[in-house]
Amino acid sequence: MQDSRESMKNGNTEISRRTFFKGAGLLAATAAMTQLPFGENQIADAASYNSIDDVYQISKDIKRFNQKNDMFCRVFWDAKFIPPPKPTVNTSTPGYSIRDIAAGTAAWTVANSLGTYFGWRSGDEGLYSWNSLGVTKPPQQPWQASPEEAAHAVKLFAKDNGAGMTGITTVDSRWIYSEYYHRGTRKSGGIEWSDTAQKPEILEDGTKVIPSRLKYCIVMLHPMPYEMVKTAPSAVGHAGTGVGYSMMAYCAASMAEFIRGLGYTAIPMGNDTTISVPLAIQAGLGEIGRNGLLVTPIGPGVRISKVITDLPLTVDKPINLGVRSFCQSCKRCAVACPSQAISHDDMTTEGPNISSMNGIKKWYVDCEKCRVYWSECAENACIRCVAACPFNKPQGYWTHSLGSKIAPIVGGTTLATIDDWMGYGKQLSCDDYWKKPIK
């Protein structure tokens, strides 16, 4: 490990030559034995399923989740979790220099100022408006195209507007919040999935109505910068999260305006209105990991936005990347979690508190423990579970793609060991982050 640590100095985040070939040799040998193909297109190689119910054990009695019980909303009404004042920051503290804090604040500019996500989170505001932003004008007649052509156009537009990956599914009403909660006004209201409504609207009593004809859901992934994430928990790590959320707002709004310009209805969403991870799974973008996050072919270091629409689209299918079998033995995120909010145990169908959506067999994160730790940080900066995950890698290296492919075969323990040999998983100091070369 010493030479891999030496390679981290002066902002050089590349692995050392010796550890690279040691790890790469093990990966290549395993690939030869298992006859696995190389390549970046892991989704094309993965086994697919017709439904999320074919992949996960989901109770027939599962109930829609009330957004008010989301931990980020509970801190506004649950007296047990109202966060104390943030600790006074000494700018000489590693990870919280003036430069670090400036980055940690600035990266959230689009999300906070235009997306209004971080402040309110109920949807239908700012860039997440349910109505046109006036950028495009609907045509006299809607664009006519086959679902295949429309899906290609949507994915190409998303890619060239900065989305890391895009999948399409149909809306599953189980993942629509039963109620929304507005953190600014402290008001809540129901969300109705209506077979009779002609357009999205908000009723006088505050109920949000979504016509069921808006049955297609475009799910976009927004990567967080790898080196920023590696500094977490820190102000720079918080900046990495901010980049993801700002891209969520930008991409969702742009996609909604694109669809409106085609003559169709679109509702852009961040983490409001619907639960993101199940829809991303249904759209074939990954699986849920031990850390409770979506683990994708480009890793867990992503944020998710969605747009629901009546534009007819071909849909993608859920996939099996071997994430859950890997997470069963790896447990690196659970070990790395500062609050010990991530389970070391087997999957279950019930979570530890009201911030859990019960009825799905998975690993449940104790969101109360996680949020309390966040409150103790100088910035809401802890994404250590993302930084520690062996799937979290910079893109473009064949060993990383290959490592993801062989993960289900060699197991989490073995691949995590190789990960250590190659110098990953170690927290990067913010000082070293600022010294990294610009390529």
Side-chain angles (χ1 to χ4, degrees), residues 246-416:
S246 287
M247 287 302 297
M248 284 168 58
Y250 164 72
C251 288
S254 299
M255 179 61 73
E257 286 296 288
F258 174 59
I259 291 171
R260 291 162 183 158
L262 297 176
Y264 296 87
T265 303
I267 297 179
M269 296 175 285
N271 283 5
D272 59 274
T273 311
T274 65
I275 302 174
S276 296
V277 172
L279 286 169
I281 292 171
Q282 289 184 182
L285 295 175
E287 298 178 68
I288 193 168
R290 183 179 288 273
N291 55 13
L293 303 174
L294 182 74
V295 179
T296 78
I298 57 176
V302 298
R303 298 296 170 175
I304 307 169
S305 69
K306 301 97 57 183
V307 177
I308 59 175
T309 180
D310 56 350
L311 171 65
L313 300 164
T314 54
V315 298
D316 300 297
K317 295 181 178 181
I319 56 173
N320 180 4
L321 295 172
V323 170
R324 284 171 297 158
S325 59
F326 176 85
C327 291
Q328 182 68 36
S329 57
C330 176
K331 302 184 180 180
R332 177 180 277 182
C333 61
V335 172
C337 178
S339 63
Q340 287 298 286
I342 299 174
S343 172
H344 290 256
D345 300 324
D346 292 335
M347 290 185 283
T348 180
T349 56
E350 291 189 16
N353 50 62
I354 63 171
S355 290
S356 305
M357 185 178 184
N358 296 327
I360 308 169
K361 189 172 183 180
K362 62 176 186 175
W363 290 285
Y364 286 85
V365 174
D366 191 330
C367 300
E368 293 181 352
K369 290 181 179 179
C370 179
R371 191 61 180 83
V372 167
Y373 178 77
W374 275 40
S375 298
E376 295 170 351
C377 293
E379 297 272 346
N380 288 337
C382 187
I383 47 174
R384 196 67 215 148
C385 57
V386 175
C389 177
F391 282 97
N392 185 53
K393 295 288 183 295
Q395 298 304 303
Y397 293 93
W398 66 267
T399 51
H400 304 156
S401 176
L402 180 58
S404 297
K405 286 177 177 292
I406 68 171
I409 298 169
V410 301
T413 302
T414 300
L415 200 60

Side-chain angles (χ1 to χ4, degrees), residues 2 39 132 157 168 204 317 322 344 363 418 431:
Q2 184 60 36
S132 175
F157 182 81
I168 300 170
E204 290 185 3
K317 295 181 178 181
H344 290 256
W363 290 285
I418 296 173
D431 284 344

Side-chain angles (χ1 to χ4, degrees), residues 150-173:
H152 177 80
V154 160
K155 290 182 177 181
L156 181 60
F157 182 81
K159 179 180 183 296
D160 286 342
N161 270 267
M165 292 180 65
T166 303
I168 300 170
T169 185
T170 52
V171 177
D172 188 326
S173 62

Side-chain angles (χ1 to χ4, degrees), residues 226-243:
Y226 172 74
E227 285 86 359
M228 281 185 163
V229 169
K230 278 182 68 68
T231 70
S234 71
V236 173
H238 189 51
T241 303
V243 170

